[in-house]
Amino acid sequence: MKTSEDLKQLLDRIDHRGYPAYKDTRGVYQFGRYVLSIDHVQGDPFAAPSKLSVRVPGRTAGFPKELFDNKHKRVALQDELTRNFWNQIQQYSFQAKGSGKSGIISVTRCSQEILERTACEINPSSGDVTVRFEVGFPANGRTINARELKKILYDFLPSCVERALFYGRLDKKKIQRVMELSEDQAYIREQLETMGLVAFVANGAILPRESGVSQRPMKGAVPFVSPQSMEVTMELPYKGALSGMGIPRGVTLIVGGGYHGKSTLLKALESGVYPHIAGDGREYVVTDAAAMKIRAEDGRSIRHTDISMFINDLPNGKDTVAFDTEDASGSTSQAANVVESMEAGAKVFLIDEDTSATNFMVRDELMQRVIHRDMEPITPFIERVRALYEQFGISTVIVAGSSGAYFQVADTIVQMDRYVPREITEHAKTAARDYPRLELPKDGPGEPSFDRKIRRNPGLKNKGRVKIKTQGRDGVVLNHETIDLRYVEQLMDSEQLTSLGNIVKYLEEDVFDGRKTLKQTIEELYKKMDAQGLGAVCDGSYLPGNLAMPRKQEIYACLNRYRRLGTTS
Ligand code: ADP
Ligand code: MG
């Protein structure tokens, strides 16, 4: 292997030459206690910065095995080290000077959720720590300024690496707490299963966020307190006894006046599919990992989806067993979201009336009297929600502040009262008794058909390589095809969208062949990604440091919104 000294000599040779000479620096160099790899060199000072990575051998990094000897511990430690590295480089970014992006040093900025990312990876057997980051190679105009790059590589980085990635230099108590929290969170998730719960919200949790643009906890918020009747206590391995609200399986209704905290609770449940960092306020809010937010999404495309459990006999005679549209209505989009989530294996639906299509959710008594059932293509969700639980084992948590109709079908009713939940099941059921009984359709829903086979979209590769561009949290573009993901609300981070772009590209280029169903394809792919990480879906000579793992459910959601999905059946 070449050494840091070799790289220094190379830099001296190319100093003051044209920018492309930087390309020669690509390679792997031994730097004292770690290995620096220059994976990709930018073409000019204004282009996206160069891609670098650092690998610290396990023995040097020195993290005790028990800090990363299972997947969730390892992911939590990786997350912590990424944050450390981010903190370290802040003081150095743009300290080396020059034109364009000269001197920038950047790494993933982690969110409140703890996600598996390529920014930092710990090898489970060797304990080697790899961090992937970007550096803007400095230039004056378009002329190489090697002196400034030497500052970065020989002064700044060694200090960042040692202070962020060497166990001996870190606050050991803090690292220990990261591991303990991760174990406690995993334990709660296990307990959900054994205790028959879909979610747990600890007493003392802070659910509201600071603002619409900040995911940090709101200051001075009212801490969560479980209603006594729903309180459960878990004995966590490290924290010990922890009590909170256990939301049981079945149909749970959250009611209450406007502004009393209903949507805030539901949002916390949505993001509870991921673990949160200490201090977030939601670190002990844990939801079934396969819970899906279901909402209306006018305008989305639907490909060969069986929405017949909700929609039938459309006036235009359109097939609803293999329903296709480029421009779904509120109700058809929400129906598709339900059925596709069933396909994706969701065991819990999370629904807020604020973001639902009213005609999908309910049809009131008076309307039923005036417009006969036979004239209405929509079987509303209220008439299916019990069957979804009883036939398919799918629980639902619904926020409904304005319609009492769901009282009749709910198992558990919670009222939010000035941000404090109260259980009012008995009271609400009694009140509902005087009202006409909800009439359920004679036939239960049939098992939706999930037999969509997917063939390659020949149009995508016409112009050679498929280019992926991520539009923040909103969508991902493959060549000129935009996949709109704004309303897939449990995508937490733009890096998950970048991964989804790579996944679609990979499936289009290497997998879709018209023989396998969407379900078979995604299940196989996810197994592979679980074993091999995000590298399984990336081509190219190096692994980019800007990918985060999406859930399997969001891979389904992404492909289902891909307008060029080549469905056949
Ligand atoms: P709803 O859905 O019942 O109308 P929201 O959940 O949208 O109510 O909450 C209304 C407002 O109250 C939001 O601005 C939210 O940030 C704030 N809020 C929610 N929960 C709390 C809490 N526990 N403490 C303080 N403010 C809260
Ligand atoms: Mg609301």
Side-chain angles (χ1 to χ4, degrees), residues 423-449:
E423 207 230 282
I424 57 158
T425 313
E426 279 313 310
H427 172 64
K429 290 270 183 194
T430 311
R433 218 171 284 146
D434 301 337
Y435 278 76
R437 272 209 67 74
L438 177 77
E439 231 184 281
L440 291 181
K442 281 188 283 303
D443 305 322
E447 174 99 35
S449 94

Coordinates of all heavy atoms in Angstrom, one line a residue, residues 423-449:
E423 N -58.8 7.6 28.7 CA -59.5 6.6 28.0 C -60.9 6.7 28.3 O -61.4 6.8 29.4 CB -59.0 5.2 28.6 CG -59.2 4.1 27.6 CD -59.9 2.9 28.1 OE1 -59.2 2.1 28.8 OE2 -61.1 2.7 27.8
I424 N -61.7 6.8 27.2 CA -63.2 7.1 27.3 C -64.0 6.0 26.6 O -65.1 6.3 26.2 CB -63.5 8.5 26.8 CG1 -63.1 8.6 25.3 CG2 -62.9 9.6 27.6 CD1 -63.8 9.7 24.6
T425 N -63.5 4.8 26.4 CA -64.2 3.8 25.7 C -65.6 3.6 26.1 O -66.5 3.7 25.3 CB -63.4 2.5 25.7 OG1 -62.0 2.7 25.5 CG2 -63.9 1.5 24.7
E426 N -65.8 3.3 27.4 CA -67.1 3.1 28.0 C -68.1 4.2 27.7 O -69.2 4.0 27.2 CB -67.0 2.8 29.5 CG -66.6 1.4 29.9 CD -67.3 0.4 29.1 OE1 -68.6 0.4 29.0 OE2 -66.6 -0.5 28.5
H427 N -67.6 5.4 28.1 CA -68.4 6.6 27.9 C -68.9 6.8 26.5 O -70.1 7.0 26.2 CB -67.6 7.8 28.4 CG -68.2 9.1 28.2 ND1 -69.4 9.5 28.8 CD2 -67.8 10.1 27.4 CE1 -69.7 10.7 28.4 NE2 -68.8 11.1 27.5
A428 N -67.9 6.7 25.6 CA -68.3 6.9 24.2 C -69.2 5.8 23.6 O -70.1 6.1 22.8 CB -67.0 7.0 23.3
K429 N -68.9 4.6 24.0 CA -69.8 3.5 23.5 C -71.2 3.6 24.0 O -72.2 3.4 23.3 CB -69.2 2.1 24.1 CG -67.9 1.7 23.4 CD -68.1 0.9 22.2 CE -66.8 0.5 21.6 NZ -66.9 0.0 20.2
T430 N -71.4 4.1 25.3 CA -72.7 4.3 25.8 C -73.4 5.4 25.0 O -74.6 5.2 24.6 CB -72.6 4.7 27.3 OG1 -71.7 3.8 28.0 CG2 -74.0 4.7 28.0
A431 N -72.7 6.5 24.7 CA -73.3 7.5 24.0 C -73.7 7.1 22.6 O -74.7 7.5 22.0 CB -72.4 8.7 23.9
A432 N -72.9 6.2 22.0 CA -73.2 5.7 20.6 C -74.3 4.8 20.6 O -74.9 4.5 19.5 CB -71.9 5.0 20.1
R433 N -74.7 4.2 21.7 CA -75.8 3.2 21.7 C -77.1 3.7 21.2 O -77.9 3.0 20.6 CB -75.9 2.6 23.1 CG -76.2 1.1 23.1 CD -76.2 0.6 24.5 NE -74.8 0.4 25.0 CZ -74.4 0.5 26.3 NH1 -75.3 0.9 27.2 NH2 -73.2 0.3 26.7
D434 N -77.4 5.0 21.4 CA -78.7 5.6 21.0 C -78.7 5.9 19.5 O -79.7 6.3 19.0 CB -78.9 6.9 21.8 CG -78.9 6.6 23.3 OD1 -79.2 5.5 23.7 OD2 -78.6 7.5 24.1
Y435 N -77.6 5.7 18.9 CA -77.6 6.1 17.4 C -77.8 4.8 16.6 O -77.6 3.7 17.0 CB -76.2 6.7 17.1 CG -76.2 8.2 17.5 CD1 -76.1 8.6 18.8 CD2 -76.4 9.1 16.5 CE1 -76.2 9.9 19.1 CE2 -76.5 10.5 16.8 CZ -76.4 10.9 18.1 OH -76.4 12.2 18.5
P436 N -78.3 5.0 15.4 CA -78.6 3.9 14.5 C -77.3 3.0 14.3 O -76.2 3.6 14.2 CB -79.0 4.5 13.2 CG -79.3 5.9 13.4 CD -78.6 6.3 14.7
R437 N -77.5 1.7 14.3 CA -76.3 0.9 14.2 C -75.7 1.0 12.8 O -76.4 1.1 11.8 CB -76.7 -0.6 14.4 CG -76.6 -1.0 15.9 CD -76.3 -2.5 16.0 NE -74.9 -2.8 15.6 CZ -73.8 -2.5 16.3 NH1 -73.9 -1.9 17.4 NH2 -72.6 -2.8 15.8
L438 N -74.4 0.9 12.8 CA -73.7 1.0 11.5 C -74.0 -0.4 10.8 O -73.8 -1.4 11.4 CB -72.2 1.1 11.8 CG -71.3 1.0 10.5 CD1 -71.3 2.4 9.8 CD2 -69.8 0.7 11.0
E439 N -74.4 -0.3 9.5 CA -74.7 -1.5 8.8 C -73.4 -1.9 8.0 O -72.9 -1.1 7.2 CB -75.8 -1.2 7.8 CG -76.9 -2.2 7.9 CD -77.9 -1.8 6.8 OE1 -78.8 -0.9 7.0 OE2 -77.9 -2.5 5.8
L440 N -73.0 -3.1 8.3 CA -71.8 -3.5 7.5 C -72.2 -4.3 6.2 O -73.3 -4.8 6.2 CB -71.0 -4.5 8.4 CG -70.3 -3.8 9.6 CD1 -69.5 -4.8 10.4 CD2 -69.4 -2.6 9.2
P441 N -71.3 -4.2 5.2 CA -71.7 -4.9 4.0 C -71.8 -6.4 4.2 O -71.2 -6.9 5.1 CB -70.5 -4.6 3.1 CG -69.4 -3.9 3.9 CD -70.0 -3.5 5.2
K442 N -72.7 -7.0 3.4 CA -72.9 -8.5 3.7 C -71.7 -9.3 3.5 O -71.4 -10.2 4.2 CB -74.0 -9.0 2.7 CG -75.4 -8.5 3.2 CD -76.6 -9.2 2.4 CE -76.8 -8.5 1.0 NZ -77.1 -7.1 1.0
D443 N -70.9 -9.0 2.4 CA -69.7 -9.8 2.2 C -68.5 -9.1 2.8 O -68.3 -7.9 2.6 CB -69.4 -9.9 0.6 CG -70.7 -10.5 0.0 OD1 -71.3 -11.3 0.6 OD2 -71.0 -10.0 -1.1
G444 N -67.7 -9.9 3.5 CA -66.4 -9.4 4.0 C -65.5 -9.2 2.8 O -65.8 -9.6 1.7
P445 N -64.4 -8.5 3.0 CA -63.4 -8.2 1.9 C -62.7 -9.5 1.5 O -62.3 -10.3 2.4 CB -62.5 -7.2 2.5 CG -62.5 -7.4 4.0 CD -63.9 -7.9 4.3
G446 N -62.5 -9.7 0.3 CA -61.7 -10.9 -0.2 C -60.3 -10.5 0.0 O -59.9 -9.3 0.1
E447 N -59.4 -11.5 0.0 CA -58.0 -11.3 0.0 C -57.6 -10.6 -1.3 O -57.9 -11.0 -2.4 CB -57.3 -12.7 0.0 CG -55.8 -12.6 -0.1 CD -55.1 -12.8 1.2 OE1 -55.6 -13.5 2.1 OE2 -54.1 -12.1 1.4
P448 N -57.0 -9.4 -1.2 CA -56.6 -8.7 -2.4 C -55.6 -9.5 -3.2 O -54.8 -10.3 -2.7 CB -55.9 -7.4 -2.0 CG -56.2 -7.3 -0.5 CD -56.5 -8.7 0.0
S449 N -55.6 -9.4 -4.5 CA -54.7 -10.2 -5.3 C -53.4 -9.3 -5.5 O -53.4 -8.2 -5.8 CB -55.3 -10.5 -6.7 OG -54.9 -9.6 -7.6

